[in-house]
Amino acid sequence: MRVMTSIAAAALIAAAFVIAPDAQAQRRNQGGGVVIVNYQRIAAESALGRDMTTKLQQVGAQIQQEAATLQPEGQAIETERQRLVTATRNMTREQVRAHATHGPALQALETRAQQFQQRSNALQGDMECTQALTLREFDAQVRPIIRATMEQRGATTVLDSSNVLIFQPDSDITNTVIQQLDQNQATRVANVTRRPLSQCQAQQQPAQ
């Protein structure tokens, strides 16, 4: 089961980027400008991002423990499958289903395997839903800081560094964003709780 892994955090003292007033005014007068942000670094180095990653790992560990409890059932299903394969080696599937003993056994096995798969899928879905909604909330906390920093710089566009080939270092606002996130207690702690798959499925359903 894939669980979001922690990004190694480097020790960093981020200094706020200060633009000279005349340069800032010039950018505003131009009515444009692009700033760059490294979203991966924000997730890895900010207090908010580190807290989010730690809590997601805790949820993942819980789900993995639950998945481990399903292993005996999975092994039992495989053992029964192999028994039926051996017992019906010279029979067609139609003959097996019509057989007084093997038919009910095959049907019971199929039902059992389906229920097992549904439980496994539900655990995987819980993890994926938890990650998706947590990252959405993380973005909701980070985006206003990015927007405010963009406006302070007189820019009109923000690009993630992963989508940019070359840029001037002074256009990177990542350090400033991380520092502002860390300075506010409200943006240092992530709200991470386990979310069931059904919650994400409900949000994906079109409005009636």
Side-chain angles (χ1 to χ4, degrees), residues 18-36:
V18 180
I19 302 178
D22 56 343
Q24 188 174 10
Q26 183 179 9
R27 286 174 182 257
R28 286 202 178 101
N29 290 337
Q30 290 174 346
V34 176
V35 289
I36 307 300

Side-chain angles (χ1 to χ4, degrees), residues 52-64:
M52 175 187 68
T53 299
T54 297
K55 290 175 178 175
L56 278 174
Q57 288 178 327
Q58 292 170 350
V59 174
Q62 179 190 55
I63 291 176
Q64 285 178 333

Side-chain angles (χ1 to χ4, degrees), residues 18-92:
V18 180
I19 302 178
D22 56 343
Q24 188 174 10
Q26 183 179 9
R27 286 174 182 257
R28 286 202 178 101
N29 290 337
Q30 290 174 346
V34 176
V35 289
I36 307 300
V37 68
N38 188 323
Y39 216 79
Q40 184 175 10
R41 272 192 58 210
I42 294 173
E45 298 176 13
S46 69
L48 177 65
R50 295 196 304 271
D51 187 53
M52 175 187 68
T53 299
T54 297
K55 290 175 178 175
L56 278 174
Q57 288 178 327
Q58 292 170 350
V59 174
Q62 179 190 55
I63 291 176
Q64 285 178 333
Q65 288 177 351
E66 294 178 25
T69 66
L70 297 180
Q71 291 181 359
E73 173 67 0
Q75 293 171 353
I77 290 172
E78 178 59 21
T79 298
E80 175 64 4
R81 187 192 69 81
Q82 292 177 357
R83 186 192 71 79
L84 277 176
V85 167
T86 300
T88 61
R89 188 178 304 277
N90 298 320
M91 300 172 64
T92 67

